[in-house]
Amino acid sequence: MPVAEGNVGVAIGLVCGAGAATAIGASAVFFPSIVKLASRRVLAGSLGLSAGVMTYVSFVEIFFKAVDAFGPDNAGFDDAQAYNLATLTFFCGIVLMKLVDILVKWFSGETHTHHHEDMGDVQISWNENVAEQEEVTTPHCIGCAEDPVAELEEWQRMADIEIEANREQENTIENSANNDDSDKNSDEESGGKISNEDFRENNEPKNQTGSNVVVIENAAAPGSDLFSPPPPSNEHPEHQKKKLVNMGVSTALAIAIHNFPEGLATFVAALSDPSVGVVLAVAIGIHNIPEGLCVALPIYYATGNRWKGFMWGCLSGVSEPVAALLGWAVLANAMSQTVYATLFGLVAGMMVMISFKELLPTAHRYDPEDTVVTYSVVAGMAIIAISLVLFNSMGSA
């Protein structure tokens, strides 16, 4: 099974496309109404669909490509040895993903000390004591939250608050414009004279209160940042700067390591067979969308900076093209069927581990009654199966 060097550009392009899908999810920080669409069933279904595609293609396609690459016509091993070596590399891929998981937790300092307070009808303002006690942490994946359902519900409450604040701000601006027009007409009728009582009545701040209305101080204009960042810490500036830099580097490394195997898997699959690479890239892209959302939203709600949340969300997909380039560097300098077969076996094991360890458990946490997860997994398998049948039919025609 020769390595198709002409597929390098296609493979890298597919990896970039899958990684860029995180930006779609991260863009939710600019559109709070999108957050409301991210229901538990939608997230559970997308994760189940991706898990079905990745599991099926790993067992049915990628694993047997490893067997074929180890076989007599390629790496030179007999059929029994080829199957044994493919099996060995498959489980090595599973072990490798476990090591990656340990590294990610070590770099991110993951302790799962999340606080999910009921927002209710509250004013959005930073409490200095809370800001000093809590440290902003950047999640590195969709499945790393201690309670993803509670976080999703909290994000949707925050989105409701933001939508209500923007609506009130729009109403305030509209009412202010109408009052200005009315005052102007009144001035013209009265000769431009305004009594002190009228001035106080028109300029006195008005607050709307009610059981179903959220009172928000200093509500932001539509499209701007609603949540204000915490006040400056009393910590020494140099020490605070060093602490933030260290936290940023550690989190960046955790995100990069976590998504590295997915980029390598897509690249290796597409390098041998673009049809398999396309389907795998779509599956990874589907679960990268909610991953970008789950990385970006906590950052935005914690810092009040939309672009910072968007940047961290995009960062979670940047490492996938980097993995593709490193994978090509290895294959270009050590091109052999044994290396290629080993990579295929490792990729199959890693994809199955990602599906079983991250995607499916998180999907079931979003959908504990299993109303959509199992069906979405089967649907994912059916989609990849039909796609492979069509691609093979087209190739043999």
Side-chain angles (χ1 to χ4, degrees):
M1 183 180 63
V3 178
E5 297 187 24
N7 294 335
V8 173
V10 175
I12 293 178
L14 290 174
V15 174
C16 291
T22 57
I24 299 176
S27 65
V29 298
F30 301 104
F31 309 100
S33 57
I34 294 180
V35 181
K36 296 296 297 176
L37 298 178
S39 67
R40 292 167 54 180
R41 287 189 176 184
V42 169
L43 292 178
S46 64
L47 294 175
L49 191 73
S50 297
V53 171
M54 293 165 64
T55 302
Y56 185 93
V57 77
S58 296
F59 282 126
V60 174
E61 190 74 15
I62 298 178
F63 176 79
F64 285 101
K65 283 186 178 294
V67 175
D68 185 49
F70 277 122
D73 297 332
N74 295 294
F77 297 95
D78 61 41
D79 292 337
Q81 290 176 327
Y83 189 88
N84 292 340
L85 288 172
T87 302
L88 177 63
T89 55
F90 174 86
F91 284 100
C92 285
I94 291 177
V95 173
L96 182 60
M97 278 307 303
K98 183 60 181 176
L99 294 176
V100 167
D101 187 52
I102 293 173
L103 278 176
V104 166
K105 290 182 179 179
W106 184 73
F107 275 115
S108 63
E110 186 174 313
T111 56
H112 291 309
T113 54
H114 299 81
H115 300 282
H116 305 291
E117 298 181 359
D118 185 13
M119 296 298 297
D121 293 342
V122 298
Q123 293 181 342
I124 299 299
S125 59
W126 270 94
N127 183 304
E128 185 173 358
N129 295 329
V130 175
E132 289 177 356
Q133 293 173 3
E134 293 186 354
E135 187 176 274
V136 177
T137 58
T138 309
H140 55 267
C141 66
I142 188 173
C144 62
E146 183 178 2
D147 190 348
V149 174
E151 287 198 344
L152 176 62
E153 292 174 350
E154 181 177 336
W155 298 337
Q156 291 183 333
R157 285 197 301 270
M158 301 288 262
D160 278 333
I161 293 172
E162 186 172 2
I163 292 171
E164 181 65 24
N166 289 338
R167 185 181 296 115
E168 291 185 3
Q169 184 70 11
E170 291 173 353
N171 292 336
T172 300
I173 294 173
E174 183 178 353
N175 292 335
S176 177
N178 292 335
N179 290 336
D180 289 343
D181 292 339
S182 176
D183 292 343
K184 183 177 180 180
N185 294 333
S186 178
D187 292 345
E188 292 175 354
E189 293 176 359
S190 62
K193 297 180 180 180
I194 304 177
S195 66
N196 290 335
E197 183 178 353
D198 291 338
F199 178 82
R200 285 194 301 271
E201 182 179 352
N202 291 333
N203 290 277
E204 184 179 357
K206 300 178 177 61
N207 291 328
Q208 298 178 348
T209 59
S211 59
N212 296 324
V213 178
V214 181
V215 180
I216 302 179
E217 295 181 350
N218 300 324
S224 62
D225 291 337
L226 171 64
F227 304 100
S228 301
S233 172
N234 294 328
E235 194 174 10
H236 191 275
E238 289 298 325
H239 183 268
Q240 185 181 18
K241 181 179 179 181
K242 183 177 179 181
K243 183 179 180 180
L244 291 173
V245 169
N246 290 338
M247 185 175 65
V249 171
S250 298
T251 304
L253 286 172
I255 291 174
I257 293 172
H258 173 265
N259 286 341
F260 189 92
E262 296 175 0
L264 180 63
T266 306
F267 176 77
V268 172
L271 194 62
S272 171
D273 189 343
S275 62
V276 177
V278 167
V279 178
L280 190 57
V282 171
I284 291 176
I286 288 173
H287 97 261
N288 276 348
I289 293 175
E291 183 167 289
L293 181 145
C294 292
V295 171
L297 283 180
I299 302 302
Y300 165 49
Y301 289 140
T303 65
N305 190 318
R306 296 180 192 274
W307 285 105
K308 182 178 291 185
F310 181 74
M311 179 198 71
W312 279 107
C314 293
L315 178 63
S316 64
V318 169
S319 63
E320 294 183 16
V322 174
L325 293 175
L326 291 177
W328 173 240
V330 171
L331 290 174
N333 294 324
M335 187 69 69
S336 70
Q337 291 300 323
T338 301
V339 172
Y340 205 58
T342 301
L343 284 176
F344 261 123
L346 292 174
V347 163
M350 289 189 296
M351 289 296 94
V352 170
M353 188 63 168
I354 290 173
S355 299
F356 289 179
K357 178 74 166 53
E358 178 182 328
L359 302 184
L360 289 177
T362 307
H364 280 294
R365 292 168 80 180
Y366 282 125
D367 181 28
E369 280 113 27
D370 193 18
T371 59
V372 297
V373 173
T374 300
Y375 299 111
S376 63
V377 171
V378 175
M381 292 182 177
I383 290 172
I384 180 63
I386 294 172
S387 301
L388 292 175
V389 168
L390 292 176
F391 282 131
N392 290 333
S393 300
M394 293 169 58
S396 61

